[in-house]
Amino acid sequence: MWLSLKSALPSGKADVCGASRARLFWSHGLCRRGIDPGDRVLLWGPNSAEWVACFWGICCGVAIVVPMDSAASPDFVQRAIKDAGVRLILRDREQMEFPGSPPSMVINEFREIVESPASAADASVDTGDPSARSTIAEILYTSGTTGEPRGVVLTHGNFLANLEPLERGIGPYRKYERWLHPLRFVSLVPLSHVFGQFMTLFVPPLLGPR
């Protein structure tokens, strides 16, 4: 499933909020900014539709997401930028811009462009190359329960190792899902945390919810 991220994203009738179009907009936008496969992109901000679109746009371009908690201290963010070798920062308008840091884009300022008919036409061709299980998906800075946060490298295969058993286990119960369709997930966990990503971005597509 993860090896074909495009097929797991909302599209067609399920694309009620333009999620697929937004994801393509960011994937194209990163290419135009010179972001190549394997480049690190810092994604910094609170949970939002724009954050999700940027996350998928980065992944589908086979770049590497460096998610950052919106409450992270400026000093820590700057250290992570240097440690991960970040080339571009995608940030919420509430997050500050650092002098001398890589260029940044404010993700909230593109909603009207993403939703425009011109954006839909421009997104007709996808830019992402297929990823392998060994392809790095993100670098997540975490300290566990104590200690100094360090960058943990997570590959597409790491996520698949957790998702594939779930997908097989869900199969026999899909017939009961129709009584609750469409499922709706509400998450209050920061998407910059791997658990928030897992339960908000990775598991729901297995069930086809809204």
Side-chain angles (χ1 to χ4, degrees), residues 13-55:
K13 294 181 180 179
D15 188 14
V16 295
C17 62
S20 187
R21 184 170 63 225
R23 181 264 304 182
L24 284 172
F25 168 83
W26 283 107
S27 184
H28 281 267
L30 294 175
C31 287
R32 289 193 293 268
R33 279 272 183 161
I35 298 300
D36 296 319
D39 285 343
R40 277 76 164 167
V41 179
L42 186 84
L43 182 52
W44 187 22
N47 292 4
S48 67
E50 290 84 4
W51 196 102
V52 173
C54 289
F55 180 91

Side-chain angles (χ1 to χ4, degrees), residues 130-149:
S131 55
R133 297 182 79 100
S134 59
T135 302
I136 299 174
E138 66 179 284
I139 300 175
L140 185 75
Y141 281 83
T142 178
S143 59
T145 54
T146 61
E148 182 71 13

Side-chain angles (χ1 to χ4, degrees), residues 26 29-30 32-35 39-44 58 66 77 81-82 85-92 95-107 110:
W26 283 107
L30 294 175
R32 289 193 293 268
R33 279 272 183 161
I35 298 300
D39 285 343
R40 277 76 164 167
V41 179
L42 186 84
L43 182 52
W44 187 22
I58 297 167
V66 183
V77 176
I81 290 171
K82 183 178 180 179
V86 168
R87 286 201 57 203
L88 178 69
I89 300 170
L90 301 182
R91 61 185 176 89
D92 185 87
Q95 316 305 143
M96 66 185 297
E97 186 171 12
F98 303 112
S101 290
S104 69
M105 300 174 68
V106 178
I107 63 178
F110 293 87

